[in-house]
Amino acid sequence: MADIRVVEGSEAVALAVKACRPHVIAAYPISPQTHIVETLARMVADGDLNAEYVRVESEFSAASVVSGASTAGSRSYTASASQGLLLMTEVLYASAGMRLPFVITGVNRSISAPINIQVDHQDTISLRDSGVIQLYVESAQEAYDMHLAAFKIAEDPSIMLPVMVCMDGWVLTHSYERVEFLDQEAVDRFLPPFKPENYLDTANPKTWGSYAEEDVLMEFKYSIHKAMTEGKSCIRKIMAELTALTGRDYGGLVEAYRTGDAEVVLVAMGSMAGTIKDAVDDMRREGKKVGLIRIRCYRPFPYEDLVAAVRGAKVVAVLDANVSMGSEGAVGLDVKSKLIGRPGVPMVIDFIAGLGGREVNSTAVREIVDRAERLSSSGLPPPEAEWLDLNPAIVP
Amino acid sequence: MPKKPTGKTESLFVSGHRACHGCGLALAVRHILEATGSNVIVVSPTGCLETFSSPYGFSPWRVPWIHHVFENAPAIASGVAAALRAQHRESTRVVAIGGDGATFDIGFGSLSGMLERGDDVLYICADNGAYMNTGGQRSGATPFCAATTTHPAGKTSLGKTERKKDLPEIVAAHGVPYVATASVAYLGDLKQKVKKAMTLHGPRYIQIDTPCPSVWNFPSHLTLEMGRLGVNSGLVPLFEMLDGKISKVKKLRVKVPVIEYLKQQKRFQHLVVKEASRGSLMAVQEQADRNIEKYKLMA
Ligand SMILES: Cc1ncc(C[n+]2csc(CCOP(=O)(O)OP(=O)(O)O)c2C)c(N)n1
Ligand SMILES: [Mg+2]
């Protein structure tokens, strides 16, 4: 009988990590990530999880410890959020470069200053270019499932890159949800023990982390890029296996929700999608042809799926819970760059939405749809990114 | 494929690397590995050692070696040690070899974390007293009055105005089982200390004085001589601490005045030639005398 319980999102993640049998876990507190590593600590303290649990003095060291452990051939895990993820940045670039397949939960939270502990995607988006694969989830159930997939993706010999499962702080980490758990044998079948081809081994000494000059540096970087772009088919295959295993549809790198005949296509990532789906349903009832693309796999960027899903749409409205200061939101830029130059593509309008936990409710979603429709039929070129729900009277 | 025995022990750090002539650090590494033997994994931060030993496609390392970034060698070592524990491969030991900038300054938080957690790592600081890989900038290990590119001597400057950070004491204050200082001028002593450290478990720390002909600016055949003068002047005291207590010191047969050490290195020339620097010269001598007294180097 299936094991179904109502648990906190953080606990669901900890249970997924436990089921993956990591050798080494590095832990450092930061809200709203802390419940995950605390739950893992209790599992270790009670003897339910047999892992080396390293209580580091910073996130910089957390990322470094899992990098060292991974190089030595151990499946490794850590989690962080916000400032902690930024502190890991240098390490994550190097670990992707050295093809170290550990898993990180990136609990999404705003970046200082001003300091704020609420959700947005600025933290993980800042790691977009690092070579770390990024999966964004919508629910605690998906967080559980994606952590199982994350290790398998990371460790696939054709990929060998860190994978970050990005989940919205508080909304997903601290809410209680119904989650269906797999039994251990099923997880073990899905995810066999980590047996890397190369690891730090005195019987077969190798040199890791060499100095490379301009004659080969680009080829190294290209090999990471290639592992990502070509890895999309491998990720799809693993998602299909996960779908078969769980009975939940993880068929694509994006989730296309009622986009078939949609004239207005919204694009978003993370838990915001739940609200958007409700709003889409409401608008559909009123006869509006609206749909949503939720990007699950953001790096590598699934532009093929995206292009297919917006075919026939009049306008695409992207909700970006991040901003590249002086430009636009990251997802909007990606979507535009992949559509531009193709025949008959829709106008893309970027909305900066939900920074620092600002609510994006169904009224706001309707407003976005209205504005997008009006702008696309105005005959004017697409505007600069619009800041949703901004109060000009209090801008400092 | 295992190599055929040649009758002669193969070095674990072979020739062909790209260190400068007379590099004290390269010499130290070869002898460290002679003392550890081959059942070790070595972790190094960014620095001269990483640069001269790892041009892609070549490697003098005959033990598994990993470089990651500049400030995380202790945490990488912690991770490797944790993995070895998890895999029941603890007979393989973890040794980190890092420069003074990596150890005293930018990686200090990471080092302190590793020491405090009690991780089974032998951390060796190859101390050449500045950021050599980037051309000789001041570090927390740069000695008092030394001229560096970021704190040069000049019309109104006599070089570094602060004393060298006392890292062995700071490490010892973490409650670790073994702390020692060594010098490439005394390779037998150095190897004995590494061997001793390898018999113990938990975090252990050895700081090795590794003169740098390129940046200290002395003729490259005088590396060992410079090391000897440093030790015998009292500026580089050699000792061992077991569980935080001094257990052994290297006594000086004759005390060499610091000027004999300073005058052979360009980084101290301003102390030698400038009348105005007499006071500083005396302060350096006092520092040596304090070391001699503190560690009972002459008794
Ligand atoms: C975060 C970061 N800051 C600065 C550097 C530049 N850098 C590389 S090696 C180095 C100096 C290393 O000095 P030290 O640790 O004393 O080793 P040495 O080269 O002297 O042996 C510096 C400053 C870097 N690689 N990474
Ligand atoms: Mg140095």
Side-chain angles (χ1 to χ4, degrees), chain A residues 115-239:
Chain A
I115 190 165
N116 165 301
I117 62 166
Q118 306 304 332
V119 61
D120 67 39
H121 293 168
Q122 195 71 49
D123 50 0
T124 55
I125 288 291
S126 303
L127 293 163
R128 173 189 74 177
D129 305 333
S130 63
V132 175
I133 288 174
Q134 290 195 343
L135 308 173
Y136 286 75
V137 302
E138 183 188 340
S139 65
Q141 179 71 67
E142 192 181 9
Y144 174 83
D145 293 331
M146 281 307 129
H147 279 82
L148 309 181
F151 283 103
K152 198 172 170 77
I153 293 167
E155 294 169 9
D156 190 280
S158 71
I159 294 185
M160 291 296 282
L161 286 171
V163 175
M164 180 174 287
V165 180
C166 306
M167 68 190 290
D168 288 345
W170 309 113
V171 182
L172 296 182
T173 51
H174 287 62
S175 312
Y176 282 70
E177 259 186 56
R178 173 194 184 278
V179 178
E180 199 175 315
F181 298 95
L182 296 176
D183 59 36
Q184 187 64 53
E185 291 95 279
V187 176
D188 290 343
R189 266 197 314 278
F190 177 71
L191 183 70
F194 177 42
K195 291 247 158 48
E197 188 187 328
N198 292 305
Y199 62 99
L200 295 167
D201 178 12
T202 51
N204 185 16
K206 293 200 170 135
T207 292
W208 294 66
S210 285
Y211 181 87
E213 291 281 12
E214 72 280 5
D215 57 344
V216 68
L217 189 282
M218 273 186 82
E219 284 72 13
F220 265 105
K221 296 293 178 190
Y222 181 71
S223 75
I224 302 170
H225 175 68
K226 185 162 163 274
M228 278 228 180
T229 51
E230 293 183 1
K232 280 189 262 189
S233 59
C234 173
I235 299 174
R236 282 195 188 93
K237 200 181 90 225
I238 290 169
M239 293 298 184

Side-chain angles (χ1 to χ4, degrees), chain B:
Chain B
M1 217 179 67
K3 292 211 186 72
K4 284 203 198 85
T6 56
K8 173 172 142 247
T9 356
E10 292 246 355
S11 174
L12 296 168
F13 190 72
V14 302
S15 62
H17 57 70
R18 300 173 177 185
C20 306
H21 265 217
C23 174
L25 164 54
L27 184 68
V29 172
R30 183 153 62 82
H31 287 83
I32 289 166
L33 292 182
E34 277 178 20
T36 61
S38 61
N39 198 11
V40 292
I41 291 168
V42 177
V43 181
S44 295
T46 311
C48 280
L49 177 57
E50 159 270 325
T51 306
F52 73 64
S53 77
S54 77
Y56 176 62
F58 302 90
S59 178
W61 297 96
R62 294 296 175 266
V63 293
W65 177 83
I66 172 176
H67 156 253
H68 199 268
V69 297
F70 188 21
E71 61 276 44
N72 71 355
I76 291 285
S78 289
V80 172
L84 294 178
R85 253 190 331 270
Q87 297 169 27
H88 310 293
R89 286 204 281 150
E90 290 109 314
S91 65
T92 297
R93 308 297 300 277
V94 185
V95 179
I97 308 175
D100 50 285
T103 308
F104 282 58
D105 295 348
I106 199 165
F108 181 67
S110 174
L111 176 70
S112 179
M114 183 209 92
L115 298 169
E116 185 270 337
R117 283 191 300 273
D119 294 334
D120 192 25
V121 175
L122 168 57
Y123 191 99
I124 298 176
C125 173
D127 175 12
N128 49 26
Y131 293 105
M132 297 323 186
N133 195 46
T134 40
Q137 298 78 25
R138 171 207 190 277
S139 82
T142 301
F144 178 58
C145 285
T148 53
T149 58
T150 47
H151 202 157
K155 287 190 187 113
T156 62
S157 164
L158 290 168
K160 191 179 180 188
T161 43
E162 303 80 26
R163 61 173 207 150
K164 185 184 182 94
K165 192 192 277 190
D166 193 350
L167 200 58
E169 287 280 8
I170 297 168
V171 172
H174 285 76
V176 305
Y178 187 78
V179 173
T181 56
S183 164
V184 286
Y186 298 95
L187 288 168
D189 177 70
L190 185 162
K191 279 159 74 168
Q192 218 177 346
K193 284 169 174 163
V194 174
K195 280 191 175 142
K196 172 80 173 260
M198 293 294 287
T199 66
L200 301 168
H201 285 268
R204 291 139 291 146
Y205 178 78
I206 302 177
Q207 185 171 304
I208 304 179
D209 188 55
T210 55
C212 169
S214 306
V215 174
W216 296 10
N217 215 328
F218 60 81
S220 62
H221 64 284
L222 293 180
T223 302
L224 299 189
E225 176 62 9
M226 224 46 63
R228 266 192 292 275
L229 288 170
V231 170
N232 290 308
S233 65
L235 286 173
V236 182
L238 300 189
F239 55 84
E240 247 179 345
M241 290 168 100
L242 281 173
D243 293 322
K245 292 207 181 63
I246 298 279
S247 55
K248 202 173 126 193
V249 298
K250 177 158 182 57
K251 303 279 185 193
L252 313 184
R253 265 182 240 122
V254 276
K255 175 179 146 183
V256 175
V258 294
I259 186 76
E260 296 302 317
Y261 176 63
L262 306 178
K263 75 180 187 196
Q264 305 207 43
Q265 303 170 36
K266 275 230 180 83
R267 62 176 179 159
F268 290 117
Q269 278 317 292
H270 54 287
L271 292 191
V272 181
V273 298
K274 272 194 186 173
E275 189 56 35
S277 62
R278 275 297 120 79
S280 296
L281 184 58
M282 274 164 64
V284 175
Q285 184 62 57
E286 277 162 24
Q287 216 171 66
D289 294 343
R290 265 201 307 279
N291 282 342
I292 290 169
E293 201 181 303
K294 177 178 173 189
Y295 296 103
K296 303 189 176 61
L297 299 179
M298 294 295 288

Side-chain angles (χ1 to χ4, degrees), chain A residues 58-334:
Chain A
S58 73
E59 291 89 350
F60 193 89
S61 285
S64 303
V65 162
V66 294
S67 300
S70 188
T71 324
S74 277
R75 183 172 289 159
S76 308
Y77 170 80
T78 190
S80 191
S82 182
Q83 309 300 121
L85 290 171
L86 261 60
L87 190 56
M88 289 181 175
T89 305
E90 187 197 7
V91 179
L92 294 181
Y93 271 82
S95 297
M98 290 169 70
R99 311 299 290 271
L100 304 179
F102 50 82
V103 169
I104 306 184
T105 309
V107 171
N108 287 105
R109 169 185 147 181
S110 178
I111 292 291
S112 290
I115 190 165
N116 165 301
I117 62 166
Q118 306 304 332
V119 61
D120 67 39
H121 293 168
Q122 195 71 49
D123 50 0
T124 55
I125 288 291
S126 303
L127 293 163
R128 173 189 74 177
D129 305 333
S130 63
V132 175
I133 288 174
Q134 290 195 343
L135 308 173
Y136 286 75
V137 302
E138 183 188 340
S139 65
Q141 179 71 67
E142 192 181 9
Y144 174 83
D145 293 331
M146 281 307 129
H147 279 82
L148 309 181
F151 283 103
K152 198 172 170 77
I153 293 167
E155 294 169 9
D156 190 280
S158 71
I159 294 185
M160 291 296 282
L161 286 171
V163 175
M164 180 174 287
V165 180
C166 306
M167 68 190 290
D168 288 345
W170 309 113
V171 182
L172 296 182
T173 51
H174 287 62
S175 312
Y176 282 70
E177 259 186 56
R178 173 194 184 278
V179 178
E180 199 175 315
F181 298 95
L182 296 176
D183 59 36
Q184 187 64 53
E185 291 95 279
V187 176
D188 290 343
R189 266 197 314 278
F190 177 71
L191 183 70
F194 177 42
K195 291 247 158 48
E197 188 187 328
N198 292 305
Y199 62 99
L200 295 167
D201 178 12
T202 51
N204 185 16
K206 293 200 170 135
T207 292
W208 294 66
S210 285
Y211 181 87
E213 291 281 12
E214 72 280 5
D215 57 344
V216 68
L217 189 282
M218 273 186 82
E219 284 72 13
F220 265 105
K221 296 293 178 190
Y222 181 71
S223 75
I224 302 170
H225 175 68
K226 185 162 163 274
M228 278 228 180
T229 51
E230 293 183 1
K232 280 189 262 189
S233 59
C234 173
I235 299 174
R236 282 195 188 93
K237 200 181 90 225
I238 290 169
M239 293 298 184
E241 270 181 67
L242 190 68
T243 301
L245 185 67
T246 61
R248 289 177 283 278
D249 183 9
Y250 293 121
L253 305 187
V254 305
E255 180 195 0
Y257 185 76
R258 305 187 80 163
T259 51
D261 61 343
E263 290 171 357
V264 181
V265 173
L266 298 157
V267 177
M269 302 200 292
S271 65
M272 198 192 268
T275 308
I276 299 174
K277 285 176 188 170
D278 281 348
V280 164
D281 289 345
D282 290 345
M283 287 183 276
R284 282 275 176 183
R285 269 192 292 275
E286 293 157 18
K288 262 194 185 345
K289 290 185 171 169
V290 186
L292 165 72
I293 297 169
R294 179 172 68 88
I295 296 175
R296 177 181 291 123
C297 178
Y298 175 61
R299 282 292 180 273
F301 192 71
Y303 74 90
E304 307 88 341
D305 309 54
L306 204 112
V307 169
V310 301
R311 195 161 289 140
K314 288 206 186 95
V315 60
V316 174
V318 181
L319 284 82
D320 255 312
N322 73 87
V323 60
S324 174
M325 292 296 177
S327 181
E328 307 194 6
V331 182
L333 288 170
D334 273 318

